[in-house]
Amino acid sequence: MARTLRLAVLQAAFGEDMTANIRTVEKLIRDAAKDGAQVILPPELFQGPYFCKTEDTVHFTTAYPWQEHPAVTALAPLAKELGVVLPISIFERDGQEYYNSLVTVDADGELLGLYRKSHIPDGPGYEEKFYFRPGDTGFKVWSTKFGRLGVGICWDQWFPEAARAMMLMGAEVLFYPTAIGSEPENPGLDTRDRWRRAMTGHAVSNVVPVAAANRIGDEDGQIFYGSSFIVDDGGDFIADMSRSEEGFAAATVDLDHLDERRASWGFFRDRRPELYGKLTGNR
């Protein structure tokens, strides 16, 4: 019998009330679970508005140790109740250090561990280096009840080496919680499609489904794209959402069939890692 996995991405707008935001995500998780989803991905930093568009020290008060974060303590029991896997994005405090992190909760409610965002952006509207240290966990692949899941966080999604590293660690599906929208310094620039194309490239070159969950709404003039999606191993959309709808999108993938396809393409067979660290060319 083939191993199949039904995955879902959530999409919503978030305000200042952390408790209300967690309740919104809880409702959407329940809706997706009723639809049969086994792994359910909320957006990045859903605990509140995307605060990194400006530099303001007050936001440091919203960080918590990862095992005590209100999103984790509220949703881990829900994962157990519903029998689903939840990658939960949080603002983490570890002593005097702060990280953009993710906790993966297995279907029995166990906290499998922590991933800290490796790539930290710094630009108008996305001033994350003010708040977050670069992650020190390395990339993570979680062995869950339903399969081996690789999870990056937002800016990680632009780096092909991050996706490949997770695949070399045995990931069967890649997930990216995201907060991406308009560019304050260039209102005419819409990066939604190139964002999607970057991740469909990861899907094609690694022969793996990729899922991304984004927020929606206008947060003080920064308009988030929504457009959460799931692509299959060929980069074709098998579930997606509009720029403004709240809810979830779900799709089912055949993990055994993906193993066969990945082997047949030879992308991992034909790698030449012994050459990658060498400079070549005429001098």
Side-chain angles (χ1 to χ4, degrees):
M1 183 176 179
R3 290 189 308 134
T4 61
L5 173 64
R6 187 156 181 82
L7 47 142
V9 292
L10 308 183
Q11 182 168 290
F14 303 106
E16 297 287 349
D17 187 332
M18 185 185 300
T19 300
N21 295 330
I22 294 170
R23 287 174 180 161
T24 294
V25 168
E26 178 181 351
K27 177 186 180 301
L28 296 178
I29 289 170
R30 291 186 180 279
D31 291 345
K34 286 180 183 178
D35 187 61
Q38 297 161 298
V39 181
I40 303 171
L41 180 69
E44 180 187 20
L45 296 174
F46 63 82
Q47 62 184 29
Y50 179 74
F51 55 86
C52 306
K53 58 183 173 290
T54 60
E55 298 182 4
D56 190 335
T57 57
V58 70
H59 297 302
F60 288 108
T61 64
T62 66
Y64 293 82
W66 67 274
Q67 291 172 308
E68 303 170 15
H69 195 286
V72 174
T73 59
L75 297 179
L78 182 66
K80 182 177 182 179
E81 175 192 339
L82 300 176
V84 298
V85 175
L86 300 177
I88 302 172
S89 171
I90 62 168
F91 185 14
E92 179 205 357
R93 177 172 182 171
D94 181 12
Q96 300 305 318
E97 298 177 349
Y98 296 81
Y99 298 93
N100 187 337
S101 299
L102 182 138
V103 180
T104 295
V105 184
D106 209 350
D108 60 358
E110 179 185 357
L111 307 186
L112 296 181
L114 180 74
Y115 168 65
R116 290 169 171 162
K117 187 173 180 176
S118 299
H119 303 94
I120 309 298
D122 185 31
Y126 300 91
E127 299 180 27
E128 294 196 13
K129 281 188 168 66
F130 179 75
Y131 296 100
F132 311 129
R133 289 175 58 87
D136 58 2
T137 59
F139 299 111
K140 294 286 188 178
V141 172
W142 312 104
S143 293
T144 75
K145 178 180 179 180
F146 302 117
R148 289 181 58 79
L149 313 180
V151 186
I153 302 173
C154 200
W155 194 235
D156 289 332
Q157 67 207 356
W158 295 95
F159 295 83
E161 55 268 42
R164 179 53 57 91
M166 289 186 282
M167 294 304 299
L168 291 172
M169 295 167 67
E172 296 177 295
V173 182
L174 298 180
F175 294 84
Y176 293 92
T178 298
I180 184 171
S182 58
E183 306 290 337
E185 86 288 3
N186 187 354
L189 177 62
D190 188 320
T191 60
R192 189 202 72 157
D193 290 346
R194 69 182 72 182
W195 161 61
R196 284 180 153 198
R197 283 193 293 268
M199 281 189 286
T200 57
H202 301 331
V204 173
S205 60
N206 291 289
V207 195
V208 66
V210 174
N214 193 20
R215 64 177 59 214
I216 58 174
D218 184 338
E219 297 184 9
D220 295 326
Q222 191 167 15
I223 300 171
F224 289 88
Y225 293 146
S227 305
S228 302
F229 66 90
I230 303 167
V231 292
D232 66 13
D233 59 292
D236 293 319
F237 286 85
I238 53 177
D240 70 333
M241 304 184 73
S242 75
R243 290 176 180 253
S244 60
E245 66 183 302
E246 178 174 299
F248 73 92
T252 301
V253 297
D254 184 332
L255 298 180
D256 289 335
H257 182 58
L258 286 166
D259 276 344
E260 294 178 12
R261 288 175 63 88
R262 196 174 297 120
S264 70
W265 272 96
F267 294 151
F268 296 88
R269 177 197 65 206
D270 297 337
R271 293 178 64 250
R272 296 292 307 279
E274 73 276 13
L275 300 180
Y276 298 159
K278 298 180 180 180
L279 296 175
T280 60
N282 297 324
R283 293 178 182 272

